[in-house]
Amino acid sequence: MEIIDAIILGIVQGLTEFLPVSSSGHLELGKAILGDTSIPEESLLFTVVLHFATALSTIVVFRRDIWTILNGLLKFKKNEETLFSIKIIISMIPAVLVGLFFEEQLEQLFGGNVMFVGFMLLITAALLWFADKAKSTRKPVSTSNAFVIGIAQAIAMLPGISRSGATISTSVLLGNDKTKAARFSFLMVIPLIFGKIAKDILSGDLVFSSENNIAVIVGFMAAFVSGLFACTWMISLVKKSKLTYFAVYCILVGLLAIIFGFIK
């Protein structure tokens, strides 16, 4: 893998993991435009490293929140931190079930199906637009809300549906505070990413090679730094209700993807 490819992919992953434009959708579009061999998404090791980088950037941004949650859990009694952790676990259930029982069906959608990605981006745009028009509230995420948001996260496993866009929009449309919705959205994905990494390591699917060490490290750094920027920026944008800009972007890219799918 070329160093420049690793940097580009790292930046794309870092930005689109947090910005509501679908990282999987953009990588699928990249594969279709440049060709499957030009985008090393097929390299599981590189993919896992990039996701680890974005998970680590989330931990850095929300380090105080995570520390508070851990301290609360170590008290081994019912408190706000324990309740929040339960909500996170509940939100993971839909995605875990989809990953366990529909993994093969999902993989079939990641084959450069540009038109499908285009239509999913239009759905993402609609979610963002409606969420941006929702009234601001101070309502926290409830237990029942957590499960519904988890369903949105599971649906976002489809290429073209933004995970952050779907979860934040769903949370806001349920009447939750926008800042709390963004916080919950970013924290809820951390256990899933580390769980997926552990699964891949234990299954022996990861192949470690010394040939691309530099490219992998550079890709990791690019994803981590861009992830820090995107995560912080996204929180600020949600507070200011600026999701409509991303809705317009998703519409434009989605329509271009559909047109490209027709003429391909």
Side-chain angles (χ1 to χ4, degrees):
M1 185 192 308
E2 297 293 333
I3 300 297
I4 187 64
D5 292 337
I7 293 175
I8 292 173
L9 283 171
I11 293 174
V12 169
Q13 172 64 29
L15 290 177
T16 58
E17 179 67 29
F18 298 105
L19 300 182
V21 294
S22 177
S23 59
S24 61
H26 276 69
L27 289 173
E28 285 301 298
L29 293 177
K31 286 195 288 185
I33 295 171
L34 301 177
D36 287 347
T37 58
S38 299
I39 298 290
E41 178 68 0
E42 300 298 328
S43 170
L44 181 59
L45 175 61
F46 191 74
T47 302
V48 168
V49 167
L50 292 188
H51 279 88
F52 177 71
T54 51
L56 190 60
S57 63
T58 307
I59 292 173
V60 171
V61 172
F62 289 98
R63 59 190 180 280
R64 292 180 181 176
D65 299 74
I66 294 172
W67 181 249
T68 301
I69 293 169
L70 291 176
N71 274 336
L73 288 174
L74 291 175
K75 293 178 181 178
F76 298 104
K77 62 181 181 180
K78 186 177 180 180
N79 51 36
E80 185 178 341
E81 291 74 26
T82 303
L83 181 59
F84 185 84
S85 299
I86 291 173
K87 292 175 185 177
I88 291 292
I89 294 172
I90 291 174
S91 73
M92 293 168 54
I93 294 174
V96 171
L97 291 176
V98 170
L100 288 175
F101 297 106
F102 300 100
E103 185 175 6
E104 293 183 4
Q105 289 84 344
L106 277 173
E107 288 177 353
Q108 293 175 4
L109 297 174
F110 288 82
N113 192 337
V114 177
M115 193 174 297
F116 180 82
V117 171
F119 282 114
M120 294 302 101
L121 281 171
L122 294 183
I123 293 175
T124 295
L127 282 171
L128 294 173
W129 189 86
F130 283 117
D132 214 25
K133 304 303 177 184
K135 294 181 179 180
S136 180
T137 70
R138 295 181 178 273
K139 177 185 172 184
V141 177
S142 67
T143 305
S144 59
N145 289 163
F147 185 75
V148 176
I149 297 169
I151 293 175
Q153 179 168 247
I155 295 173
M157 295 171 77
L158 297 172
I161 300 291
S162 166
R163 194 208 67 82
S164 62
T167 53
I168 293 174
S169 296
T170 299
S171 184
V172 171
L173 290 172
L174 288 171
N176 297 313
D177 175 79
K178 292 182 178 180
T179 303
K180 291 183 174 66
R183 174 177 177 265
F184 189 80
S185 171
F186 293 141
L187 289 175
M188 69 189 283
V189 76
I190 295 176
L192 282 178
I193 292 178
F194 282 104
K196 180 66 167 62
I197 292 173
K199 177 179 177 294
D200 291 333
I201 292 175
L202 293 174
S203 65
D205 291 335
L206 291 181
V207 179
F208 295 91
S209 173
S210 60
E211 296 179 3
N212 290 323
N213 277 348
I214 296 178
V216 170
I217 293 172
V218 169
F220 172 88
M221 292 303 298
F224 176 71
V225 174
S226 59
L228 286 175
F229 166 76
C231 186
T232 305
W233 186 31
M234 185 61 189
I235 295 170
S236 176
L237 288 171
V238 172
K239 289 180 181 178
K240 298 175 182 178
S241 297
K242 301 293 184 181
L243 296 179
T244 301
Y245 297 144
F246 293 104
V248 173
Y249 173 83
C250 288
I251 290 173
L252 292 175
V253 176
L255 291 175
L256 288 173
I258 293 171
I259 294 171
F260 183 82
F262 270 116
I263 65 177
K264 184 180 178 182

